[in-house]
Amino acid sequence: MSLSNLELEILKKVTKGSWNFQGISQELNVPISHVKVVVENLVRKGYLRKIECTETVCTKCPLRKACPFSYVPLNIVTYVITEKGISIIEKQFSK
């Protein structure tokens, strides 16, 4: 399954750490709604993993030790890159 240039650019930005939909939208000059659709497609394709943070899932979250929100029961959604995502990014950087 190949990725579009926009999917690759968004995936690269997610791998660099702190990001948000508005920032990526502005940097890539695409509507926020489009960025959200692409991120959900990357989740569906297995390149990103969506983590919906609620009070009950904190103990299972891979980010729990570093999460600044773990002490407050908030409904937060975050995305982490999967092994599949890391692999495709490594292949792109090695070209």
Side-chain angles (χ1 to χ4, degrees):
M1 191 178 309
S2 64
L3 296 179
S4 70
N5 288 338
L6 182 58
E7 287 173 319
L8 282 170
E9 285 303 313
I10 290 175
L11 193 57
K12 286 177 190 176
K13 295 201 177 296
V14 171
T15 61
K16 290 181 180 178
S18 182
W19 66 277
N20 60 53
F21 290 110
Q22 183 176 357
I24 289 177
S25 168
Q26 290 172 345
E27 287 179 40
L28 299 179
N29 198 28
V30 295
I32 291 175
S33 59
H34 197 68
V35 174
K36 289 180 179 182
V37 167
V38 172
V39 168
E40 288 301 323
N41 285 340
L42 290 168
V43 170
R44 186 178 44 78
K45 292 177 178 180
Y47 295 100
L48 293 176
R49 181 173 155 214
K50 183 177 182 177
I51 299 174
E52 296 184 54
C53 301
T54 62
E55 191 173 2
T56 58
V57 298
C58 281
T59 58
K60 298 176 186 172
C61 180
L63 304 174
R64 71 184 169 278
K65 292 182 180 178
C67 182
F69 305 110
S70 61
Y71 62 94
V72 181
L74 299 173
N75 289 325
I76 297 172
V77 174
T78 190
Y79 298 85
V80 294
I81 191 162
T82 63
E83 290 295 323
K84 184 177 179 181
I86 291 169
S87 176
I88 194 97
I89 291 299
E90 287 175 345
K91 287 177 187 172
Q92 289 298 313
F93 283 125
S94 67
K95 288 184 176 181

